[in-house]
Amino acid sequence: MAPKYAPSLRSRLAPLLLFLQTGFIIISAFFFEIENNINLKKDYFINVYPAFQDVNVMVILGFGFFSTFLVRYGLSSSGFNLLVAAMATQWAIILNGIESCYTRGKIKVDLKSILVAEMCAASALIAIGPMQGKSSPVQLILVALMEVSGFILSEWLLRVLLEVRPLSSIMLLHIFGAFFGLTLTWILYRKGSNQGFEKEKVDKKSGLFSMLGTVFIWMFWPTFNSVLVDERYPGRKLEAVCSTYLALAVSAVTAAALSVFSSPRGKLNLIQIQSCILAGGVAVGVPISVVHHPWEAMAIGFTAAIISTIGFKYLKIHMLLAFECHDTCAVLSTHGLPGLLGWLAHFLLQMKDYSDHTLAVRFAMFHICTLCIIISVSLSMGILTGLLLKWNFWRPPQNNKCFDDQAYWVVRECRDAEMLCSYYLERQIHKHVFWTSNFCLLQFPNLAVRK
């Protein structure tokens, strides 16, 4: 049975995408400029392009398959991920280039600017995680545009007010994206979510594809954390890569052990593991500029896996029951809590280097203000976006159409099977009429209403 709001894709999604893309093309025609001075650096392309490839694979392929664990939402999770990433990256290039446009009259475009824009887009992909399956693609596009705008605004405030370095400010994307997404789920809470959605299920095949995305993210996370480290100091970049790998390795082993301990049957939980093995990369990315010893990275990865596992096991259900936040992809335990742990680790590792009490207090206030700005802007923009999306004009899916690809995609095989069953039920020409009717009604309950 076709969803009630199916025509909204034609009347809303297509005009919105064409309008935005036309606007981006016009802006690029007047203000974009390819940076040509990099041709003077012989090794620039050789050094930067592999990192660009790694981050691109992680954002598009890794995040795209990461959320395909839902049985009937695989096309939407991977397809909408690509759509959101493409739009958010273009928008981030424009917003990041406003300062350059003001001083030079042009927005500089090179591999480094696209890399930074993709990292901003990654924060938008984190933010739509809690909304997966419950939002239309039009809503997801709006969320991405608002989230990227808010994140770049917070990053600008950190640079201007507190003079935070770009590496430290951008790595707070996990905290910003997680709290932005959780705020949206709180405002857009659906009645009956605590009962569970009919199609919010996981099976072996969808879990395998989801684990594939997790593996890609896990493999390329060292590049993601080290890509913004100053190239003039190869030793620091090597430290960042090694620290990220060690943190990821420790978090993977720890998450597997804790998953067995927390299971009533003493078995591994696939969805829990794929969320928690990434916690080490998230946590160590925030203080990556001050992590200089292997044991520090390993301790951060170990602690991050513990916090993430506990959060996945207990906080997800409590957030739903107590705060009415239905977090589909568990971004709180995957990105939010490890990101806060990374902020705390940065604070402690930096504080131990201060022997002067006055300087230590000043740095503490500075570091706390950094977190307050990030969370304040995240919550404010999340509330603003949530109020915008509550407008019924965007046609959100009904509860019985949530987590279902057929609401937005042409699923040929399922549609043909449904039409065939409908044909059998209406004419009852099959020799095994009773068996066919019961099978069709079991597979497609809506046919009973149609009949």
Side-chain angles (χ1 to χ4, degrees), residues 192-208:
S193 296
N194 55 350
Q195 308 282 333
F197 289 91
E198 177 187 357
K199 300 171 184 176
E200 191 180 5
K201 300 176 182 178
V202 183
D203 68 356
K204 182 178 179 181
K205 184 177 179 181
S206 62
L208 178 61

Side-chain angles (χ1 to χ4, degrees), residues 134-436:
K134 302 167 294 183
S135 304
S136 68
V138 177
Q139 290 178 309
L140 294 181
I141 293 295
L142 295 175
V143 168
L145 297 178
M146 295 293 290
E147 199 278 344
V148 168
S149 303
F151 178 67
I152 292 177
L153 172 62
S154 66
E155 189 189 357
W156 179 79
L157 290 175
L158 291 178
R159 289 203 314 268
V160 172
L161 299 180
L162 302 178
E163 297 183 356
V164 179
R165 291 179 295 177
L167 174 61
S168 300
S169 61
I170 291 180
M171 282 302 158
L172 294 171
L173 63 92
H174 304 283
I175 300 176
F176 189 95
F179 282 93
F180 186 97
L182 290 173
T183 306
L184 283 179
T185 60
W186 172 61
I187 295 178
L188 301 177
Y189 176 77
R190 291 171 174 265
K191 294 182 179 180
S193 296
N194 55 350
Q195 308 282 333
F197 289 91
E198 177 187 357
K199 300 171 184 176
E200 191 180 5
K201 300 176 182 178
V202 183
D203 68 356
K204 182 178 179 181
K205 184 177 179 181
S206 62
L208 178 61
F209 277 103
S210 181
M211 195 62 190
L212 176 65
T214 306
V215 169
F216 272 102
I217 296 176
W218 197 94
M219 290 170 57
F220 293 109
W221 208 300
T223 303
F224 190 84
N225 282 352
S226 63
V227 69
L228 294 183
V229 176
D230 198 333
E231 297 176 358
R232 293 174 296 178
Y233 305 100
R236 282 296 306 123
K237 189 175 284 287
L238 179 62
E239 277 186 357
V241 171
C242 294
S243 298
T244 303
Y245 179 82
L246 291 173
L248 285 167
V250 171
S251 66
V253 175
T254 307
L258 292 177
S259 178
V260 173
F261 275 129
S262 61
S263 173
R265 302 175 61 185
K267 295 185 178 182
L268 295 169
N269 185 326
L270 176 64
I271 306 303
Q272 183 183 40
I273 280 187
Q274 74 171 31
S275 298
C276 300
I277 64 176
L278 301 175
V282 175
V284 80
V286 180
I288 197 67
S289 59
V290 296
V291 176
H292 302 299
H293 303 287
W295 72 267
E296 295 173 346
M298 297 174 76
I300 292 173
F302 181 79
T303 310
I306 295 175
I307 293 177
S308 181
T309 304
I310 295 174
F312 186 93
K313 182 69 176 179
Y314 301 107
L315 277 186
K316 184 177 180 180
I317 185 64
H318 286 296
M319 290 290 291
L320 176 59
L321 297 178
F323 300 101
E324 297 185 341
C325 291
H326 183 260
D327 187 359
T328 303
C329 294
V331 298
L332 178 62
S333 57
T334 307
H335 298 276
L337 296 179
L340 292 175
L341 173 66
W343 174 86
L344 180 62
H346 192 179
F347 175 75
L348 297 177
L349 291 174
Q350 197 89 357
M351 284 288 288
K352 69 181 181 64
D353 295 332
Y354 286 100
S355 56
D356 188 354
H357 179 71
T358 304
L359 291 177
V361 173
R362 187 175 299 175
F363 170 75
M365 296 299 298
F366 165 84
H367 205 61
I368 293 172
C369 288
T370 299
L371 182 64
C372 290
I373 290 176
I374 283 290
I375 293 182
S376 298
V377 177
S378 176
L379 296 179
S380 301
M381 291 298 293
I383 292 173
L384 180 62
T385 307
L387 294 177
L388 174 65
L389 296 184
K390 282 181 73 70
W391 189 19
N392 287 331
F393 175 79
W394 309 117
R395 291 292 191 269
Q398 295 175 303
N399 283 355
N400 63 338
K401 295 299 178 182
C402 290
F403 304 100
D404 193 347
D405 283 331
Q406 292 191 61
Y408 305 110
W409 298 82
V410 178
V411 186
R412 186 71 182 177
E413 294 179 357
C414 294
R415 185 61 181 166
D416 288 347
E418 185 177 353
M419 291 174 63
L420 183 61
C421 286
S422 178
Y423 179 81
Y424 283 157
L425 284 172
E426 290 176 0
R427 292 163 178 80
Q428 295 190 353
I429 61 175
H430 198 276
K431 61 181 180 180
H432 301 294
V433 175
F434 178 79
W435 179 87
T436 303

